[in-house]
Amino acid sequence: MQITTVGLDLAKSVFQAHGVDETGATVLVKRLHRKQMLPFFSKLPPCLIGMEACGTAHHWARTLAAMGHEVRLIPPSYVKPYVKRGKSDALDAEAICEAVQRPTMRFVPVKTVAQQSILMTHRARSLLVRQRTMVANALRAHLAELGLVANPGIANLAKLAQQALSGESSLPSYARTTLDILIRQILVFADEIAALDQQLLAWHADSEASRRLSAIPGLGIVTATAVAATVTDPEQFRSGRQFAAWLGLTPQQCSTGGKTQLGGISKQGDRYLRRLLVVGATAVIRHTKDKATPLANWIRKLLEKKPFRLVSVALANKLARIAWVVLTRKEAYRAHEMIKPTCRESHQIQSSNETL
């Protein structure tokens, strides 16, 4: 019995393995507890191991690769068509084993511990920003109930809260205690976010790719570090167009019978990166509409025909393509050479039929 390929269904405690030989015959169907994983695969001859790119997948990929195995991570949505019927760990492992052998299958590059660490910083920062926004909205709503309204922005809210808690105000003691707690929470969140920003800044200073990306309009330090840490191998994409499709910034295709039908933006990909690019594109539109640059001219022409949000997504698509060029060529960003205000390009963004 010679096992050549193993499909491994990951879990928290109980794992399922499905192995086949070189003829495709099933020779292994085994449940493994966590403590059995390392002894079992250390005794197994080097083979191809397929896993879904889910939680803990990168850790197990690094661990099994260190034992001499060839490990490939598959997007879960690409494994689903190979599940025959029903839902069980054994069926999932068999489907993974079948999918990993397909010559046209697309795989997810294995991330290093350093890359996962900086992405962990990004996710923690995003969580704290959302929590700070929630607390700030609650504080703003409570102050509005007392007749105190502030202009948009954290700074204006802080001034209004300070005014409400001053000795001249006549707020009840219960209201003062509640508002004081919310204000302290906002300050704690602000300090923690600032500490994470310092970590991102330090990683950005050490990463050449991140420094090159930050020169692109709309890509600050946060977006540049996120793209540099997520895209481990830009060569896996054939073009910037495919990279934008991977991020979910292209129209979803539903074509048949020789007729091309495009729907809305697919939104299939990394939601965090896509949001950062769209937010950065929105900022670029607001600050370059009155400038005499090729990018500003392209934005103005598109705004004459399309809504603002559609233009921001189209610009995010363009920024993603530029980011791919910068990562692939390992060159500095050159605005007038990489951004050309052609009507053909703006039309391609809307009528692209290449989706992943």
Side-chain angles (χ1 to χ4, degrees):
M1 181 182 68
Q2 180 66 34
I3 300 176
T4 59
T5 307
V6 175
L8 183 60
D9 183 56
L10 301 179
K12 294 181 179 179
S13 302
V14 180
F15 302 77
Q16 183 72 36
H18 183 94
V20 298
D21 59 12
E22 58 184 5
T23 64
T26 301
V27 294
L28 173 68
V29 177
K30 188 177 182 63
R31 291 182 62 188
L32 297 169
H33 291 275
R34 177 174 290 273
K35 61 182 180 180
Q36 298 175 318
M37 286 283 290
L38 297 181
F40 176 80
F41 283 101
S42 62
K43 298 177 182 178
L44 194 68
C47 60
L48 173 63
I49 301 178
M51 297 182 293
E52 289 183 333
C54 57
T56 71
H58 292 276
H59 162 71
W60 285 113
R62 292 191 298 266
T63 303
L64 298 178
M67 298 178 182
H69 300 289
E70 181 183 359
V71 184
R72 296 179 181 177
L73 302 182
I74 312 173
S77 59
Y78 293 170
V79 176
K80 185 65 176 177
Y82 295 93
V83 179
K84 292 182 175 62
R85 178 178 291 183
K87 174 67 175 73
S88 69
D89 293 343
L91 292 174
D92 291 344
E94 182 182 2
I96 296 171
C97 185
E98 178 70 21
V100 75
Q101 301 179 72
R102 297 303 93 201
T104 58
M105 181 58 62
R106 293 168 180 155
F107 301 103
V108 178
V110 179
K111 291 183 174 60
T112 64
V113 176
Q115 291 169 334
Q116 284 192 299
S117 299
I118 194 63
L119 290 177
M120 187 184 304
T121 303
H122 274 278
R123 295 305 191 271
R125 182 184 181 278
S126 178
L127 174 62
L128 294 179
V129 169
R130 290 198 305 269
Q131 292 178 340
R132 183 182 64 177
T133 302
M134 294 170 61
V135 177
N137 290 338
L139 177 61
R140 186 182 298 275
H142 291 321
L143 291 174
E145 292 293 336
L146 300 175
L148 302 174
V149 180
N151 294 327
I154 291 291
N156 295 324
L157 181 61
K159 294 179 181 179
L160 181 62
Q162 183 179 5
Q163 177 184 355
L165 294 178
S166 63
E168 300 177 357
S169 62
S170 58
L171 294 180
S173 59
Y174 297 111
R176 285 177 174 273
T177 302
T178 302
L179 297 178
D180 185 60
I181 292 174
L182 294 178
I183 293 173
R184 288 203 306 270
Q185 287 295 318
I186 293 177
L187 295 177
V188 170
F189 284 135
D191 294 339
E192 293 173 345
I193 293 172
L196 295 179
D197 287 340
Q198 291 299 320
Q199 290 189 5
L200 295 179
L201 185 61
W203 193 87
H204 171 76
D206 295 334
S207 174
E208 182 181 357
S210 180
R211 293 197 301 271
R212 288 197 301 267
L213 289 172
S214 63
I216 302 174
L219 273 69
I221 293 178
V222 174
T223 307
T225 53
V227 173
T230 303
V231 184
T232 56
D233 182 18
E235 298 290 345
Q236 64 179 314
F237 305 103
R238 297 191 303 269
S239 62
R241 192 174 188 177
Q242 191 182 62
F243 177 59
W246 177 73
L247 290 174
L249 291 171
T250 56
Q252 192 168 11
Q253 184 177 187
C254 185
S255 303
T256 183
K259 296 181 179 180
T260 302
Q261 297 180 359
L262 300 179
I265 298 301
S266 67
K267 299 182 181 179
Q268 297 177 354
D270 194 313
R271 181 182 302 178
Y272 181 68
L273 284 183
R274 185 170 59 251
R275 177 166 59 86
L276 291 178
L277 287 172
V278 172
V279 171
T282 303
V284 171
I285 294 175
R286 291 176 176 173
H287 289 86
T288 61
K289 287 190 295 184
D290 298 331
K291 296 182 179 179
T293 62
L295 178 61
N297 296 334
W298 180 84
I299 292 174
R300 279 193 293 268
K301 290 181 180 179
L302 209 55
L303 284 173
E304 294 175 357
K305 301 177 293 184
K306 303 296 181 180
F308 182 89
R309 180 51 63 195
L310 191 149
V311 177
S312 65
V313 175
L315 180 58
N317 182 303
K318 180 186 284 288
L319 296 179
R321 299 185 185 200
I322 296 173
W324 179 84
V325 173
V326 171
L327 290 175
T328 305
R329 298 181 183 176
K330 298 181 180 180
E331 299 177 356
Y333 167 71
R334 297 187 296 272
H336 298 290
E337 295 184 18
M338 292 187 180
I339 300 179
K340 298 181 180 180
T342 61
C343 297
R344 179 182 179 183
E345 185 178 9
S346 62
H347 175 71
Q348 288 178 348
I349 292 177
Q350 301 305 320
S351 61
S352 171
N353 58 2
E354 179 180 350
T355 56
L356 298 181

